[in-house]
Amino acid sequence: TSDVPGIPRRGFSGQTLSLTEQRLGFRRWASDPRVHPHEGLVGVLALLHATSSVELRELRVADFDEVGCTLAVGHRPLPVPLDPVSVSMLQRCLHHRASLGTSNPHVIVTTQTKTRSTPASTAYLCHVLDPAGVSPKRLRATRIVDLVMVLDPKVAGEALGMKAEGLVDYLADGVDAGRLAGTV
């Protein structure tokens, strides 16, 4: 067997936030008026709705249904129902956008993109949460791990517009002892 190559361990090995870190970030974005509207929106949508940087960049004003409190996100099959904090962050971001006097159709508009119709840069989205000491990718991973563990990869995949097979890796080392009771 020494010539047989070992199969690399599959499974999610990225970093996630502890519950305390999630709460601190959420409180920062939801209640601190000094936080930039883009930071608040990206933080809340990534943490609560597992929104990716690509989905955040591509968000357009027309994707927000203010009456129904939903947001069409990326390739997700259905609009995402928004909680009051997410709606508040989105409205705050739209007010900021309006103050720039732009016709750019995107929700997140920077000083570089306000005269164009292009989305904010990838680098901008990667660093918008730097003041909070976290990345959108880490927030999204935290939410996906939680969804997969609490629900099921198939349900989470359907909600996020992803393949369940890709989400199974998030279950690595995540066996719920309560589900094993009586199976000896």
Side-chain angles (χ1 to χ4, degrees), residues 155-179:
V155 175
E158 192 64 35
L160 298 174
M162 299 172 70
K163 292 183 179 179
E165 298 83 37
L167 294 174
V168 171
D169 290 346
Y170 287 90
L171 282 173
D173 296 332
V175 177
D176 183 358
R179 293 184 181 189

Side-chain angles (χ1 to χ4, degrees), residues 18-184:
S18 69
L19 191 54
T20 301
E21 292 170 316
Q22 291 176 56
R23 286 181 177 145
L24 286 171
F26 182 80
R27 284 188 192 113
R28 171 186 171 84
W29 300 314
S31 60
D32 189 345
R34 297 169 297 175
V35 169
H36 192 280
H38 294 165
E39 180 191 337
L41 180 69
V42 169
V44 167
L45 290 183
L47 180 63
L48 298 182
H49 304 287
T51 311
S52 70
S53 292
V54 172
E55 291 171 332
L56 289 161
R57 284 184 69 226
E58 296 295 328
L59 279 181
R60 295 173 179 260
V61 175
D63 294 335
F64 178 45
D65 175 6
E66 199 164 358
V67 175
C69 291
T70 61
L71 187 64
V73 177
H75 297 291
R76 297 186 188 191
L78 297 170
V80 175
L82 298 176
D83 56 282
V85 173
S86 297
V87 170
S88 174
M89 293 295 101
L90 188 51
Q91 289 171 332
R92 190 166 172 244
C93 199
L94 291 174
H95 288 303
H96 172 71
R97 179 187 172 280
S99 73
L100 295 174
T102 183
S103 61
N104 187 317
H106 295 90
V107 171
I108 298 176
V109 177
T110 66
T111 54
Q112 311 309 319
T113 62
K114 74 178 184 176
T115 59
R116 300 180 277 183
S117 61
T118 57
S121 71
T122 303
Y124 181 80
L125 260 292
C126 286
H127 294 288
V128 73
L129 295 178
D130 284 356
V134 70
S135 69
K137 184 176 181 178
R138 189 169 177 196
L139 292 172
R140 175 177 161 83
T142 300
R143 185 62 178 148
I144 289 175
V145 166
D146 183 53
L147 286 172
V148 170
M149 297 296 288
V150 171
L151 298 172
D152 176 79
K154 288 183 180 181
V155 175
E158 192 64 35
L160 298 174
M162 299 172 70
K163 292 183 179 179
E165 298 83 37
L167 294 174
V168 171
D169 290 346
Y170 287 90
L171 282 173
D173 296 332
V175 177
D176 183 358
R179 293 184 181 189
L180 296 176
T183 59
V184 178

